Amino acid sequence: MSDVPEVRHPVVTPIRVIITVCLVAPFVAMLWVGSYAKTDPTFIGIPFFYWYQMLWVLISTALTMTAYQLWQREQRARKSGNTSGGAQK
């Protein structure tokens, strides 16, 4: 047996909460159909229903990339032993 104590990291961290919000937001926006089931306002002749969904494709991409970057940063911090999620001092 080893005398080195095992480092236990918290399961729920502020970074993980932000990651969850980034990944859940597009689902909530698309499942709340009543918020965008209309034709006005139009954008360059495209009804709101369609351009709103296409805008969420771009937003979802940005949020997923952000979540991935945050996840990578947190994993690097955990491997280095830093539990704050930021750079070590």
mmCIF file of all heavy atoms in Angstrom, residues 23-66:
data_model
loop_
_atom_site.group_PDB
_atom_site.id
_atom_site.type_symbol
_atom_site.label_atom_id
_atom_site.label_comp_id
_atom_site.label_asym_id
_atom_site.label_seq_id
_atom_site.Cartn_x
_atom_site.Cartn_y
_atom_site.Cartn_z
ATOM 1 N N LEU A 23 -24.195 23.373 -22.856
ATOM 2 C CA LEU A 23 -24.696 22.237 -23.615
ATOM 3 C C LEU A 23 -26.214 22.087 -23.557
ATOM 4 O O LEU A 23 -26.820 21.549 -24.478
ATOM 5 C CB LEU A 23 -24.026 20.945 -23.132
ATOM 6 C CG LEU A 23 -22.519 20.865 -23.373
ATOM 7 C CD1 LEU A 23 -21.946 19.599 -22.762
ATOM 8 C CD2 LEU A 23 -22.198 20.951 -24.858
ATOM 9 N N VAL A 24 -26.842 22.575 -22.493
ATOM 10 C CA VAL A 24 -28.289 22.437 -22.339
ATOM 11 C C VAL A 24 -29.051 23.582 -23.012
ATOM 12 O O VAL A 24 -30.181 23.378 -23.492
ATOM 13 C CB VAL A 24 -28.659 22.318 -20.846
ATOM 14 C CG1 VAL A 24 -30.150 22.404 -20.613
ATOM 15 C CG2 VAL A 24 -28.120 21.015 -20.283
ATOM 16 N N ALA A 25 -28.465 24.759 -23.081
ATOM 17 C CA ALA A 25 -29.155 25.938 -23.626
ATOM 18 C C ALA A 25 -29.743 25.719 -25.028
ATOM 19 O O ALA A 25 -30.898 26.082 -25.263
ATOM 20 C CB ALA A 25 -28.225 27.148 -23.612
ATOM 21 N N PRO A 26 -29.010 25.130 -25.979
ATOM 22 C CA PRO A 26 -29.605 24.912 -27.302
ATOM 23 C C PRO A 26 -30.828 23.989 -27.269
ATOM 24 O O PRO A 26 -31.796 24.209 -28.007
ATOM 25 C CB PRO A 26 -28.473 24.281 -28.117
ATOM 26 C CG PRO A 26 -27.230 24.704 -27.434
ATOM 27 C CD PRO A 26 -27.579 24.796 -25.983
ATOM 28 N N PHE A 27 -30.797 22.974 -26.410
ATOM 29 C CA PHE A 27 -31.943 22.076 -26.308
ATOM 30 C C PHE A 27 -33.169 22.811 -25.787
ATOM 31 O O PHE A 27 -34.274 22.658 -26.308
ATOM 32 C CB PHE A 27 -31.623 20.881 -25.396
ATOM 33 C CG PHE A 27 -30.671 19.912 -26.005
ATOM 34 C CD1 PHE A 27 -29.344 19.903 -25.607
ATOM 35 C CD2 PHE A 27 -31.081 19.022 -26.974
ATOM 36 C CE1 PHE A 27 -28.450 19.015 -26.172
ATOM 37 C CE2 PHE A 27 -30.191 18.130 -27.540
ATOM 38 C CZ PHE A 27 -28.876 18.131 -27.146
ATOM 39 N N VAL A 28 -32.972 23.613 -24.759
ATOM 40 C CA VAL A 28 -34.086 24.372 -24.195
ATOM 41 C C VAL A 28 -34.640 25.342 -25.237
ATOM 42 O O VAL A 28 -35.859 25.442 -25.421
ATOM 43 C CB VAL A 28 -33.643 25.124 -22.920
ATOM 44 C CG1 VAL A 28 -34.729 26.073 -22.436
ATOM 45 C CG2 VAL A 28 -33.266 24.135 -21.824
ATOM 46 N N ALA A 29 -33.757 26.024 -25.940
ATOM 47 C CA ALA A 29 -34.198 26.996 -26.943
ATOM 48 C C ALA A 29 -34.992 26.331 -28.063
ATOM 49 O O ALA A 29 -35.992 26.887 -28.531
ATOM 50 C CB ALA A 29 -32.988 27.733 -27.525
ATOM 51 N N MET A 30 -34.568 25.163 -28.490
ATOM 52 C CA MET A 30 -35.260 24.493 -29.603
ATOM 53 C C MET A 30 -36.516 23.752 -29.155
ATOM 54 O O MET A 30 -37.455 23.611 -29.922
ATOM 55 C CB MET A 30 -34.320 23.517 -30.311
ATOM 56 C CG MET A 30 -33.214 24.201 -31.088
ATOM 57 S SD MET A 30 -33.819 25.132 -32.516
ATOM 58 C CE MET A 30 -33.953 26.781 -31.859
ATOM 59 N N LEU A 31 -36.554 23.298 -27.916
ATOM 60 C CA LEU A 31 -37.751 22.603 -27.429
ATOM 61 C C LEU A 31 -38.863 23.562 -27.021
ATOM 62 O O LEU A 31 -40.014 23.154 -26.896
ATOM 63 C CB LEU A 31 -37.390 21.683 -26.265
ATOM 64 C CG LEU A 31 -36.550 20.466 -26.642
ATOM 65 C CD1 LEU A 31 -36.148 19.693 -25.389
ATOM 66 C CD2 LEU A 31 -37.297 19.562 -27.600
ATOM 67 N N TRP A 32 -38.542 24.821 -26.805
ATOM 68 C CA TRP A 32 -39.532 25.826 -26.454
ATOM 69 C C TRP A 32 -40.068 26.440 -27.748
ATOM 70 O O TRP A 32 -39.817 27.578 -28.087
ATOM 71 C CB TRP A 32 -38.893 26.876 -25.554
ATOM 72 C CG TRP A 32 -39.830 27.892 -25.008
ATOM 73 C CD1 TRP A 32 -41.182 27.807 -24.865
ATOM 74 C CD2 TRP A 32 -39.465 29.177 -24.518
ATOM 75 N NE1 TRP A 32 -41.682 28.951 -24.319
ATOM 76 C CE2 TRP A 32 -40.639 29.804 -24.098
ATOM 77 C CE3 TRP A 32 -38.258 29.840 -24.395
ATOM 78 C CZ2 TRP A 32 -40.639 31.089 -23.566
ATOM 79 C CZ3 TRP A 32 -38.263 31.104 -23.865
ATOM 80 C CH2 TRP A 32 -39.446 31.719 -23.459
ATOM 81 N N VAL A 33 -40.844 25.646 -28.478
ATOM 82 C CA VAL A 33 -41.299 26.003 -29.820
ATOM 83 C C VAL A 33 -42.190 27.243 -29.804
ATOM 84 O O VAL A 33 -42.144 28.053 -30.734
ATOM 85 C CB VAL A 33 -42.041 24.811 -30.472
ATOM 86 C CG1 VAL A 33 -42.567 25.179 -31.845
ATOM 87 C CG2 VAL A 33 -41.120 23.611 -30.550
ATOM 88 N N GLY A 34 -42.964 27.426 -28.776
ATOM 89 C CA GLY A 34 -43.861 28.575 -28.707
ATOM 90 C C GLY A 34 -43.140 29.909 -28.793
ATOM 91 O O GLY A 34 -43.729 30.921 -29.190
ATOM 92 N N SER A 35 -41.863 29.925 -28.463
ATOM 93 C CA SER A 35 -41.119 31.184 -28.494
ATOM 94 C C SER A 35 -40.733 31.608 -29.904
ATOM 95 O O SER A 35 -40.442 32.773 -30.143
ATOM 96 C CB SER A 35 -39.858 31.072 -27.636
ATOM 97 O OG SER A 35 -38.933 30.189 -28.237
ATOM 98 N N TYR A 36 -40.731 30.676 -30.853
ATOM 99 C CA TYR A 36 -40.308 31.033 -32.202
ATOM 100 C C TYR A 36 -41.262 30.533 -33.295
ATOM 101 O O TYR A 36 -40.939 30.635 -34.477
ATOM 102 C CB TYR A 36 -38.879 30.536 -32.480
ATOM 103 C CG TYR A 36 -38.694 29.038 -32.432
ATOM 104 C CD1 TYR A 36 -38.818 28.266 -33.581
ATOM 105 C CD2 TYR A 36 -38.362 28.401 -31.243
ATOM 106 C CE1 TYR A 36 -38.632 26.894 -33.545
ATOM 107 C CE2 TYR A 36 -38.162 27.047 -31.206
ATOM 108 C CZ TYR A 36 -38.295 26.285 -32.349
ATOM 109 O OH TYR A 36 -38.104 24.936 -32.300
ATOM 110 N N ALA A 37 -42.422 30.039 -32.939
ATOM 111 C CA ALA A 37 -43.382 29.539 -33.922
ATOM 112 C C ALA A 37 -44.215 30.696 -34.484
ATOM 113 O O ALA A 37 -45.411 30.814 -34.239
ATOM 114 C CB ALA A 37 -44.273 28.475 -33.298
ATOM 115 N N LYS A 38 -43.555 31.556 -35.252
ATOM 116 C CA LYS A 38 -44.224 32.697 -35.870
ATOM 117 C C LYS A 38 -43.460 33.074 -37.129
ATOM 118 O O LYS A 38 -42.344 32.610 -37.360
ATOM 119 C CB LYS A 38 -44.310 33.867 -34.902
ATOM 120 C CG LYS A 38 -42.983 34.264 -34.272
ATOM 121 C CD LYS A 38 -43.167 35.261 -33.167
ATOM 122 C CE LYS A 38 -41.849 35.483 -32.450
ATOM 123 N NZ LYS A 38 -41.966 36.351 -31.313
ATOM 124 N N THR A 39 -44.070 33.901 -37.949
ATOM 125 C CA THR A 39 -43.418 34.283 -39.211
ATOM 126 C C THR A 39 -42.745 35.644 -39.140
ATOM 127 O O THR A 39 -41.824 35.912 -39.902
ATOM 128 C CB THR A 39 -44.435 34.296 -40.363
ATOM 129 O OG1 THR A 39 -45.502 35.168 -40.030
ATOM 130 C CG2 THR A 39 -44.970 32.894 -40.620
ATOM 131 N N ASP A 40 -43.218 36.506 -38.258
ATOM 132 C CA ASP A 40 -42.629 37.849 -38.159
ATOM 133 C C ASP A 40 -41.712 37.917 -36.949
ATOM 134 O O ASP A 40 -41.997 37.303 -35.921
ATOM 135 C CB ASP A 40 -43.724 38.904 -38.028
ATOM 136 C CG ASP A 40 -44.487 39.083 -39.328
ATOM 137 O OD1 ASP A 40 -43.868 38.940 -40.389
ATOM 138 O OD2 ASP A 40 -45.700 39.366 -39.265
ATOM 139 N N PRO A 41 -40.625 38.603 -36.997
ATOM 140 C CA PRO A 41 -40.112 39.445 -38.071
ATOM 141 C C PRO A 41 -39.361 38.605 -39.118
ATOM 142 O O PRO A 41 -38.741 37.607 -38.787
ATOM 143 C CB PRO A 41 -39.148 40.380 -37.361
ATOM 144 C CG PRO A 41 -38.644 39.586 -36.202
ATOM 145 C CD PRO A 41 -39.790 38.697 -35.799
ATOM 146 N N THR A 42 -39.433 39.042 -40.329
ATOM 147 C CA THR A 42 -38.689 38.363 -41.387
ATOM 148 C C THR A 42 -37.308 38.989 -41.506
ATOM 149 O O THR A 42 -37.102 40.154 -41.158
ATOM 150 C CB THR A 42 -39.411 38.470 -42.738
ATOM 151 O OG1 THR A 42 -39.566 39.833 -43.076
ATOM 152 C CG2 THR A 42 -40.773 37.782 -42.691
ATOM 153 N N PHE A 43 -36.376 38.207 -41.991
ATOM 154 C CA PHE A 43 -34.998 38.667 -42.193
ATOM 155 C C PHE A 43 -34.627 38.319 -43.625
ATOM 156 O O PHE A 43 -34.579 37.134 -43.970
ATOM 157 C CB PHE A 43 -34.051 37.994 -41.194
ATOM 158 C CG PHE A 43 -32.617 38.336 -41.379
ATOM 159 C CD1 PHE A 43 -32.153 39.610 -41.116
ATOM 160 C CD2 PHE A 43 -31.711 37.386 -41.822
ATOM 161 C CE1 PHE A 43 -30.818 39.934 -41.276
ATOM 162 C CE2 PHE A 43 -30.377 37.695 -41.997
ATOM 163 C CZ PHE A 43 -29.937 38.978 -41.723
ATOM 164 N N ILE A 44 -34.394 39.321 -44.422
ATOM 165 C CA ILE A 44 -34.152 39.218 -45.869
ATOM 166 C C ILE A 44 -35.144 38.263 -46.546
ATOM 167 O O ILE A 44 -34.799 37.439 -47.379
ATOM 168 C CB ILE A 44 -32.680 38.841 -46.215
ATOM 169 C CG1 ILE A 44 -32.247 37.518 -45.608
ATOM 170 C CG2 ILE A 44 -31.736 39.951 -45.821
ATOM 171 C CD1 ILE A 44 -30.883 37.006 -46.079
ATOM 172 N N GLY A 45 -36.398 38.388 -46.142
ATOM 173 C CA GLY A 45 -37.466 37.600 -46.723
ATOM 174 C C GLY A 45 -37.658 36.221 -46.126
ATOM 175 O O GLY A 45 -38.542 35.479 -46.547
ATOM 176 N N ILE A 46 -36.851 35.860 -45.131
ATOM 177 C CA ILE A 46 -36.948 34.543 -44.501
ATOM 178 C C ILE A 46 -37.781 34.678 -43.223
ATOM 179 O O ILE A 46 -37.484 35.519 -42.376
ATOM 180 C CB ILE A 46 -35.544 33.990 -44.164
ATOM 181 C CG1 ILE A 46 -34.699 33.904 -45.429
ATOM 182 C CG2 ILE A 46 -35.649 32.637 -43.475
ATOM 183 C CD1 ILE A 46 -33.244 33.583 -45.173
ATOM 184 N N PRO A 47 -38.828 33.859 -43.068
ATOM 185 C CA PRO A 47 -39.647 33.930 -41.855
ATOM 186 C C PRO A 47 -38.836 33.660 -40.591
ATOM 187 O O PRO A 47 -37.841 32.916 -40.611
ATOM 188 C CB PRO A 47 -40.697 32.843 -42.066
ATOM 189 C CG PRO A 47 -40.731 32.608 -43.532
ATOM 190 C CD PRO A 47 -39.348 32.882 -44.018
ATOM 191 N N PHE A 48 -39.267 34.264 -39.498
ATOM 192 C CA PHE A 48 -38.578 34.156 -38.209
ATOM 193 C C PHE A 48 -38.318 32.701 -37.818
ATOM 194 O O PHE A 48 -37.242 32.364 -37.328
ATOM 195 C CB PHE A 48 -39.411 34.852 -37.127
ATOM 196 C CG PHE A 48 -38.797 34.798 -35.762
ATOM 197 C CD1 PHE A 48 -37.700 35.585 -35.444
ATOM 198 C CD2 PHE A 48 -39.300 33.957 -34.789
ATOM 199 C CE1 PHE A 48 -37.125 35.543 -34.189
ATOM 200 C CE2 PHE A 48 -38.733 33.905 -33.524
ATOM 201 C CZ PHE A 48 -37.644 34.699 -33.223
ATOM 202 N N PHE A 49 -39.316 31.837 -38.023
ATOM 203 C CA PHE A 49 -39.198 30.432 -37.649
ATOM 204 C C PHE A 49 -37.926 29.803 -38.200
ATOM 205 O O PHE A 49 -37.237 29.059 -37.510
ATOM 206 C CB PHE A 49 -40.432 29.675 -38.167
ATOM 207 C CG PHE A 49 -40.441 28.215 -37.836
ATOM 208 C CD1 PHE A 49 -40.836 27.781 -36.582
ATOM 209 C CD2 PHE A 49 -40.057 27.269 -38.777
ATOM 210 C CE1 PHE A 49 -40.854 26.429 -36.272
ATOM 211 C CE2 PHE A 49 -40.071 25.921 -38.475
ATOM 212 C CZ PHE A 49 -40.473 25.497 -37.218
ATOM 213 N N TYR A 50 -37.605 30.098 -39.452
ATOM 214 C CA TYR A 50 -36.450 29.477 -40.091
ATOM 215 C C TYR A 50 -35.122 30.146 -39.711
ATOM 216 O O TYR A 50 -34.147 29.465 -39.400
ATOM 217 C CB TYR A 50 -36.614 29.487 -41.615
ATOM 218 C CG TYR A 50 -37.769 28.622 -42.057
ATOM 219 C CD1 TYR A 50 -38.909 29.181 -42.608
ATOM 220 C CD2 TYR A 50 -37.718 27.249 -41.898
ATOM 221 C CE1 TYR A 50 -39.971 28.389 -42.992
ATOM 222 C CE2 TYR A 50 -38.775 26.447 -42.285
ATOM 223 C CZ TYR A 50 -39.903 27.024 -42.835
ATOM 224 O OH TYR A 50 -40.951 26.240 -43.210
ATOM 225 N N TRP A 51 -35.068 31.477 -39.746
ATOM 226 C CA TRP A 51 -33.777 32.096 -39.448
ATOM 227 C C TRP A 51 -33.412 31.978 -37.974
ATOM 228 O O TRP A 51 -32.233 31.927 -37.624
ATOM 229 C CB TRP A 51 -33.669 33.528 -39.973
ATOM 230 C CG TRP A 51 -34.497 34.605 -39.350
ATOM 231 C CD1 TRP A 51 -35.631 35.159 -39.858
ATOM 232 C CD2 TRP A 51 -34.220 35.321 -38.143
ATOM 233 N NE1 TRP A 51 -36.093 36.146 -39.034
ATOM 234 C CE2 TRP A 51 -35.245 36.276 -37.977
ATOM 235 C CE3 TRP A 51 -33.221 35.257 -37.192
ATOM 236 C CZ2 TRP A 51 -35.296 37.146 -36.893
ATOM 237 C CZ3 TRP A 51 -33.264 36.127 -36.101
ATOM 238 C CH2 TRP A 51 -34.295 37.046 -35.968
ATOM 239 N N TYR A 52 -34.405 31.889 -37.109
ATOM 240 C CA TYR A 52 -34.125 31.684 -35.686
ATOM 241 C C TYR A 52 -33.449 30.330 -35.473
ATOM 242 O O TYR A 52 -32.464 30.213 -34.733
ATOM 243 C CB TYR A 52 -35.439 31.766 -34.896
ATOM 244 C CG TYR A 52 -35.280 31.537 -33.406
ATOM 245 C CD1 TYR A 52 -34.846 32.560 -32.572
ATOM 246 C CD2 TYR A 52 -35.573 30.313 -32.828
ATOM 247 C CE1 TYR A 52 -34.707 32.365 -31.205
ATOM 248 C CE2 TYR A 52 -35.443 30.094 -31.477
ATOM 249 C CZ TYR A 52 -35.007 31.125 -30.666
ATOM 250 O OH TYR A 52 -34.876 30.924 -29.316
ATOM 251 N N GLN A 53 -33.955 29.292 -36.134
ATOM 252 C CA GLN A 53 -33.351 27.966 -35.990
ATOM 253 C C GLN A 53 -31.949 27.932 -36.581
ATOM 254 O O GLN A 53 -31.042 27.312 -36.010
ATOM 255 C CB GLN A 53 -34.223 26.917 -36.675
ATOM 256 C CG GLN A 53 -35.501 26.660 -35.919
ATOM 257 C CD GLN A 53 -36.353 25.605 -36.591
ATOM 258 O OE1 GLN A 53 -36.202 25.314 -37.771
ATOM 259 N NE2 GLN A 53 -37.259 25.019 -35.824
ATOM 260 N N MET A 54 -31.754 28.577 -37.703
ATOM 261 C CA MET A 54 -30.421 28.604 -38.310
ATOM 262 C C MET A 54 -29.434 29.400 -37.449
ATOM 263 O O MET A 54 -28.260 29.063 -37.363
ATOM 264 C CB MET A 54 -30.481 29.169 -39.733
ATOM 265 C CG MET A 54 -31.249 28.283 -40.692
ATOM 266 S SD MET A 54 -30.787 26.534 -40.634
ATOM 267 C CE MET A 54 -29.105 26.599 -41.134
ATOM 268 N N LEU A 55 -29.914 30.456 -36.801
ATOM 269 C CA LEU A 55 -29.067 31.207 -35.879
ATOM 270 C C LEU A 55 -28.626 30.321 -34.723
ATOM 271 O O LEU A 55 -27.472 30.372 -34.292
ATOM 272 C CB LEU A 55 -29.820 32.440 -35.368
ATOM 273 C CG LEU A 55 -29.087 33.325 -34.381
ATOM 274 C CD1 LEU A 55 -27.865 33.946 -35.051
ATOM 275 C CD2 LEU A 55 -30.024 34.405 -33.864
ATOM 276 N N TRP A 56 -29.524 29.462 -34.250
ATOM 277 C CA TRP A 56 -29.169 28.565 -33.157
ATOM 278 C C TRP A 56 -28.157 27.502 -33.570
ATOM 279 O O TRP A 56 -27.439 26.958 -32.729
ATOM 280 C CB TRP A 56 -30.406 27.929 -32.518
ATOM 281 C CG TRP A 56 -30.879 28.769 -31.386
ATOM 282 C CD1 TRP A 56 -31.916 29.652 -31.394
ATOM 283 C CD2 TRP A 56 -30.289 28.849 -30.085
ATOM 284 N NE1 TRP A 56 -32.003 30.271 -30.177
ATOM 285 C CE2 TRP A 56 -31.031 29.798 -29.355
ATOM 286 C CE3 TRP A 56 -29.220 28.225 -29.470
ATOM 287 C CZ2 TRP A 56 -30.710 30.115 -28.036
ATOM 288 C CZ3 TRP A 56 -28.921 28.546 -28.158
ATOM 289 C CH2 TRP A 56 -29.660 29.480 -27.455
ATOM 290 N N VAL A 57 -28.067 27.199 -34.852
ATOM 291 C CA VAL A 57 -27.010 26.291 -35.314
ATOM 292 C C VAL A 57 -25.652 26.925 -35.025
ATOM 293 O O VAL A 57 -24.736 26.274 -34.515
ATOM 294 C CB VAL A 57 -27.170 25.967 -36.814
ATOM 295 C CG1 VAL A 57 -25.944 25.253 -37.354
ATOM 296 C CG2 VAL A 57 -28.430 25.144 -37.049
ATOM 297 N N LEU A 58 -25.515 28.207 -35.353
ATOM 298 C CA LEU A 58 -24.256 28.915 -35.092
ATOM 299 C C LEU A 58 -23.992 29.078 -33.596
ATOM 300 O O LEU A 58 -22.874 28.874 -33.121
ATOM 301 C CB LEU A 58 -24.272 30.274 -35.786
ATOM 302 C CG LEU A 58 -24.423 30.238 -37.310
ATOM 303 C CD1 LEU A 58 -24.567 31.649 -37.853
ATOM 304 C CD2 LEU A 58 -23.269 29.508 -37.940
ATOM 305 N N ILE A 59 -25.039 29.454 -32.860
ATOM 306 C CA ILE A 59 -24.898 29.634 -31.412
ATOM 307 C C ILE A 59 -24.517 28.310 -30.751
ATOM 308 O O ILE A 59 -23.645 28.263 -29.876
ATOM 309 C CB ILE A 59 -26.192 30.212 -30.805
ATOM 310 C CG1 ILE A 59 -26.427 31.632 -31.303
ATOM 311 C CG2 ILE A 59 -26.149 30.165 -29.284
ATOM 312 C CD1 ILE A 59 -27.791 32.192 -30.967
ATOM 313 N N SER A 60 -25.155 27.220 -31.182
ATOM 314 C CA SER A 60 -24.859 25.898 -30.613
ATOM 315 C C SER A 60 -23.418 25.493 -30.874
ATOM 316 O O SER A 60 -22.755 24.908 -30.013
ATOM 317 C CB SER A 60 -25.796 24.845 -31.207
ATOM 318 O OG SER A 60 -27.124 25.131 -30.881
ATOM 319 N N THR A 61 -22.930 25.807 -32.058
ATOM 320 C CA THR A 61 -21.540 25.508 -32.380
ATOM 321 C C THR A 61 -20.599 26.259 -31.447
ATOM 322 O O THR A 61 -19.655 25.682 -30.892
ATOM 323 C CB THR A 61 -21.234 25.868 -33.848
ATOM 324 O OG1 THR A 61 -22.129 25.147 -34.692
ATOM 325 C CG2 THR A 61 -19.805 25.564 -34.210
ATOM 326 N N ALA A 62 -20.857 27.535 -31.263
ATOM 327 C CA ALA A 62 -20.009 28.346 -30.378
ATOM 328 C C ALA A 62 -20.078 27.848 -28.930
ATOM 329 O O ALA A 62 -19.044 27.761 -28.247
ATOM 330 C CB ALA A 62 -20.421 29.809 -30.460
ATOM 331 N N LEU A 63 -21.273 27.502 -28.462
ATOM 332 C CA LEU A 63 -21.418 27.016 -27.085
ATOM 333 C C LEU A 63 -20.744 25.658 -26.894
ATOM 334 O O LEU A 63 -20.134 25.399 -25.850
ATOM 335 C CB LEU A 63 -22.897 26.934 -26.705
ATOM 336 C CG LEU A 63 -23.606 28.270 -26.520
ATOM 337 C CD1 LEU A 63 -25.096 28.058 -26.301
ATOM 338 C CD2 LEU A 63 -23.008 29.043 -25.358
ATOM 339 N N THR A 64 -20.830 24.784 -27.897
ATOM 340 C CA THR A 64 -20.182 23.479 -27.799
ATOM 341 C C THR A 64 -18.669 23.627 -27.797
ATOM 342 O O THR A 64 -17.964 22.952 -27.027
ATOM 343 C CB THR A 64 -20.634 22.565 -28.955
ATOM 344 O OG1 THR A 64 -22.060 22.452 -28.916
ATOM 345 C CG2 THR A 64 -20.014 21.189 -28.843
ATOM 346 N N MET A 65 -18.156 24.522 -28.627
ATOM 347 C CA MET A 65 -16.702 24.768 -28.633
ATOM 348 C C MET A 65 -16.253 25.333 -27.293
ATOM 349 O O MET A 65 -15.205 24.936 -26.766
ATOM 350 C CB MET A 65 -16.332 25.726 -29.767
ATOM 351 C CG MET A 65 -16.421 25.103 -31.127
ATOM 352 S SD MET A 65 -16.017 26.142 -32.561
ATOM 353 C CE MET A 65 -15.607 27.718 -31.924
ATOM 354 N N THR A 66 -17.033 26.237 -26.731
ATOM 355 C CA THR A 66 -16.709 26.808 -25.424
ATOM 356 C C THR A 66 -16.706 25.726 -24.348
ATOM 357 O O THR A 66 -15.784 25.660 -23.523
ATOM 358 C CB THR A 66 -17.712 27.915 -25.057
ATOM 359 O OG1 THR A 66 -17.677 28.919 -26.066
ATOM 360 C CG2 THR A 66 -17.417 28.509 -23.701
#
